[in-house]
Amino acid sequence: GCIRFGEDIMEEDRTRKLLSDMAVGLRTVCKDLEPVDAEEKRAVERDHLVQSVLSEVNRQHERILSRKVIIEKRKEEYERQQAEKQREEQQKKLEAEAERQQAEQARLEAQRERREKAKADALRDEEKLFEIKQQMAAEGVDLKNTDITSMTKDERENLIEETRRKNEQADKETERKINAAAKKLDTIVRALRETELPKLEAICNEQ
């Protein structure tokens, strides 16, 4: 078997046990291979091996601690990033809600303004229509049988002009009739005077 010293994190107790077992095994192998008279050499090699193993154990221990620190920092950084992400998401939700409320307020305000404008326009149109009716009535237009609300400005002006023309014709006809009646009355009066004049003269003479 073998032991691989890589970048993976190993538990310290397990590493110590593995290295210790390896050292024991190496000592056993060395003892079996070397002659008895090489005891001193083996002791030196053994010490060297033990020191090497202990040095590797310490190095691995320091590496493990370093990795733990790195992992802890990464964990803290990840948690910080997650917290920042949640904070940003919450901030976006609050901003979106504020924008929605602002848009809703703007919509309601625009709706209110449209209603007020429509009301003001209707009132203005009603006043204008009343003035037009007064004007047309003054011109003699028959408003009872005329719906002027659906008329355009040109149509109303044409109706007024036509009414004026008819009124002028009616006035001329009335004036003609009056003149004719006056002439007829004058003729009758003159005829009466001529007929009654002798009678009046006779009455005066008798008196």
Side-chain angles (χ1 to χ4, degrees), residues 135-196:
Q135 180 184 0
M136 296 181 74
E139 295 290 344
V141 176
D142 184 10
L143 298 178
K144 292 182 179 180
N145 299 321
T146 305
D147 183 14
I148 67 172
T149 57
S150 58
M151 289 184 176
T152 63
K153 182 179 180 181
D154 292 339
E155 289 174 341
R156 289 195 296 265
E157 290 179 353
N158 291 336
L159 180 60
I160 291 174
E161 186 64 27
E162 183 181 356
T163 301
R164 286 176 180 173
R165 182 177 56 79
K166 289 182 179 180
N167 289 339
E168 288 177 357
Q169 291 177 352
D171 291 342
K172 288 180 180 179
E173 180 66 19
T174 300
E175 185 178 358
R176 185 188 65 78
K177 290 181 179 180
I178 290 174
N179 291 334
K183 288 180 180 180
K184 184 176 182 180
L185 179 62
D186 184 62
T187 300
I188 294 173
V189 170
R190 283 199 306 269
L192 289 174
R193 285 178 180 175
E194 291 175 356
T195 303
E196 297 296 329

Side-chain angles (χ1 to χ4, degrees), residues 69-97:
V69 171
I70 293 173
I71 291 174
E72 188 65 26
K73 288 183 178 180
R74 288 179 179 176
K75 181 180 178 182
E76 292 176 357
E77 178 63 17
Y78 175 78
E79 291 176 351
R80 186 193 67 79
Q81 291 177 355
Q82 289 299 109
E84 180 67 17
K85 183 178 179 181
Q86 291 179 358
R87 187 191 67 80
E88 291 177 355
E89 291 177 352
Q90 183 65 22
Q91 182 66 24
K92 288 180 180 179
K93 288 181 181 179
L94 293 175
E95 291 175 356
E97 178 63 18

Side-chain angles (χ1 to χ4, degrees), residues 124-138:
R124 184 168 56 254
D125 292 342
E126 185 177 352
E127 292 176 351
K128 186 176 181 180
L129 183 62
F130 178 75
E131 293 175 358
I132 292 173
K133 285 183 178 180
Q134 284 187 322
Q135 180 184 0
M136 296 181 74

